[in-house]
Structure formats: C-alpha cells, structure tokens
Amino acid sequence: VAAMADADVVIEGVKEKGKILSLTTGEALELGLIDKQVINMEELIGEVIATEKTDNIQVIEQKMSFSEKIAHIATNPYIAPILLTVGIVGTITEILTPGFGIPGLLGLIAFGLFFGGNFLAGAAQFWVLSLFVLGILLLIMEMFVPGFGIFGVAGILSIIASVIMAFPNPEQAMVSILIALIASGVIIYFLVKYLIKTPIFDRIILGTKQEKSDGYIVSSKEVVIRVGEKGKAITPLRPAGVAIIGNNQVDVLSEGQFLPSGSDIVVIKVEGNKILVKKEKKENV
C-alpha cells in the first residue's frame, strides 16, 4: 500500500525504486492485498451467505442524486475536455459575432457544468469559481477600454488559472486543457472558414473578393476607398465593425481601440482586403 503512494519504496520482484505501484485486481489477489474477487452483486451476496452462514441479507441500493450525477459526469476525464472545448468555442464564436446568441449560451452552459460539477464533487473550491467569473468580468471590461491592456491580460490569466485549479491534479488539468485547445483550434478554423461566406461573418471581416491597388481598395461592386477619406461608424468597432465612407457601407477595422457607434473616422491604411481606420480628431475652431 505504501508503494502505491511512495515512489522510493522498493518491493523485490514487484516494484523497483522510482515508480508508483499500480496493480490489477488479479495482481492484488495474487499478492494477498485483497481477499477475493467477485464479478457481480449476486456473487457478492453468495460469498457473504457462505461466510456468515446466514441468508438474512438486506441489500440497500444508494442512488445518486441529480447534483451527484452532474458532478460524476463533469469530473469524468473523458467528459471534461469536451465541456472545455464547447465552452471555448462558444465563447470565442460569441466574441466574433454581434449580439448574444446560441454560441454564447452553449459556452456558458458548458463552463457552468464544468465548474459546477467539480465544485459539487469537492475538487474545486468556491473561490476557484469566483476566479473564473472575475476573468469573464475583466474581459467584458476590456471590451469597453481602448486597446488591449491590463484588464484583458488579467482576465485571460484568471480564466486559465481557474480552469487548472478546478481539476483534481495538475496532470489531468494539463492533459484536458491540451486536448481542449487542440480541438477548439480545429473547430474554430472550420467555423471561420464556413462563416466567412455568410453575412454574419461579413460584418466582422472584409470579403475576400477585394483587391488592392496603390492605396485604394476595389470590391466586386466597384467601390473605391482611399487613404484619408472620412466616414462614420454605424456599428461599434471592437475593433471590427461596419462604417459609412463616402456613400458606401464597408467593413472596417479600428487601429486596436474600441470606437462606439456614431464615431467620426478617417481611413489611415488600406492593405489587401482590410480598411484600417482611426477616430477623426476634430480641430478646435
């Protein structure tokens, strides 16, 4: 038993130094660590009757409650990476698309099941859940602060730390997180590849049918946008959004800062299929 917890314990013919002892049921029986192996409940009852020499056996079956079932599922090492993947994909998809919809709801449900299950199972403390909520709040604050600063970095670090601490051990945490990140990356890649053809994603990035030529951009509708042209944002720029430049409605990117709807903007760069803008500075009269 000590060898199952201490790698320095040596048992000749069974375990060498530097490894943790792990036994199958058959090996444990052979070594005398356990008395007997039974296959099912009927065999167990038979053994009890034979040992105690009585047939007065009462079997009480303890069923899991609803919360215990959630904890059992959420803490399963095969289910946890799936919940994390759904949470990551849902959250990122929600950030990339306007409004709040199904992806965000699925992401919140997945993260709720993950943290709630681990909390009910006793693997995660309440402060771990609070750390995750703090990370989400910091990311929301970052959306309303120009540039990518302390709130965004602190929010991401808080979420990562809370996910790691929610697992029973660091090894399971790293394996599950690695699987979730790889799966999320693949799924998001295909989602972006598909959504780029839809009107939803057209509001986030520019279409691929545009061509660059000497500082201006020409689309399939023969729209010409030049550096220095002025316009107005008709949606919030976070940093992507939609603006009116001249008489044309186009997709634009701010230079990394949040600009509210209605902001006066000026084109500062046209590169490939991107129109980069910044807030127009008004001269005092």
Side-chain angles (χ1 to χ4, degrees):
V1 173
M4 292 181 175
D6 189 349
D8 292 331
V9 174
V10 177
I11 303 177
E12 188 175 350
V14 178
K15 174 192 170 297
E16 59 186 28
K17 187 176 181 179
K19 294 183 179 180
I20 294 294
L21 179 63
S22 178
L23 299 175
T24 64
T25 305
E27 291 171 338
L29 184 63
E30 182 182 350
L31 293 171
L33 184 63
I34 61 176
D35 296 323
K36 196 173 291 290
Q37 176 184 3
V38 294
I39 305 301
N40 49 43
M41 181 64 71
E42 288 73 19
E43 187 175 338
L44 175 62
I45 294 174
E47 289 290 339
V48 173
I49 292 174
T51 303
E52 301 295 331
K53 297 181 180 180
T54 178
D55 57 358
N56 185 23
I57 302 298
Q58 182 182 9
V59 179
I60 300 174
E61 184 178 355
Q62 180 66 46
K63 295 184 179 180
M64 288 191 295
S65 65
F66 179 72
S67 60
E68 288 172 335
K69 289 180 180 178
I70 293 178
H72 178 70
I73 294 173
T75 54
N76 187 303
Y78 298 103
I79 300 297
I82 297 176
L83 291 176
L84 287 177
T85 299
V86 174
I88 294 171
V89 172
T91 302
I92 292 179
T93 303
E94 190 61 40
I95 292 174
L96 291 177
T97 54
F100 185 83
I102 295 178
L105 182 61
L106 290 176
L108 287 177
I109 291 174
F111 277 130
L113 287 173
F114 172 76
F115 283 100
N118 282 277
F119 176 75
L120 292 172
Q125 302 300 319
F126 182 76
W127 67 268
V128 175
L129 179 60
S130 301
L131 187 63
F132 174 78
V133 174
L134 175 63
I136 295 295
L137 293 177
L138 288 172
L139 288 181
I140 293 175
M141 292 178 63
E142 179 64 29
M143 294 174 62
F144 298 96
V145 177
F148 190 86
I150 185 64
F151 294 119
V153 174
I156 292 174
L157 292 177
S158 295
I159 292 174
I160 293 175
S162 64
V163 170
I164 293 175
M165 293 177 183
F167 281 94
N169 56 74
E171 293 78 13
Q172 185 179 342
M174 297 310 297
V175 171
S176 297
I177 291 173
L178 183 61
I179 293 173
L181 289 176
I182 294 174
S184 300
V186 173
I187 293 173
I188 291 171
Y189 169 78
F190 283 104
L191 282 177
V192 169
K193 192 173 183 180
Y194 168 73
L195 289 175
I196 200 172
K197 301 176 183 177
T198 68
I200 294 177
F201 204 77
D202 284 343
R203 299 188 64 179
I204 308 302
I205 64 172
L206 301 176
T208 57
K209 295 182 180 179
Q210 297 170 317
E211 300 173 359
K212 178 190 173 188
S213 178
D214 298 329
Y216 64 89
I217 193 163
V218 182
S219 72
S220 57
K221 297 181 180 180
E222 299 300 327
V223 175
V224 178
I225 303 297
R226 300 181 183 276
V227 174
E229 285 194 77
K230 300 178 181 180
K232 185 180 293 289
I234 61 176
T235 68
L237 307 185
R238 300 178 176 174
V242 183
I244 294 291
I245 299 178
N247 296 321
N248 303 302
Q249 178 175 311
V250 293
D251 298 302
V252 298
L253 291 168
S254 70
E255 55 177 352
Q257 64 179 155
F258 170 80
L259 296 179
S261 175
S263 299
D264 293 316
I265 58 173
V266 59
V267 179
I268 59 174
K269 191 175 184 181
V270 178
E271 185 178 58
N273 59 353
K274 296 180 182 178
I275 301 175
L276 191 65
V277 300
K278 70 176 182 179
K279 187 174 182 179
E280 181 187 0
K281 293 183 179 180
K282 301 287 187 178
E283 295 183 0
N284 295 326
V285 180

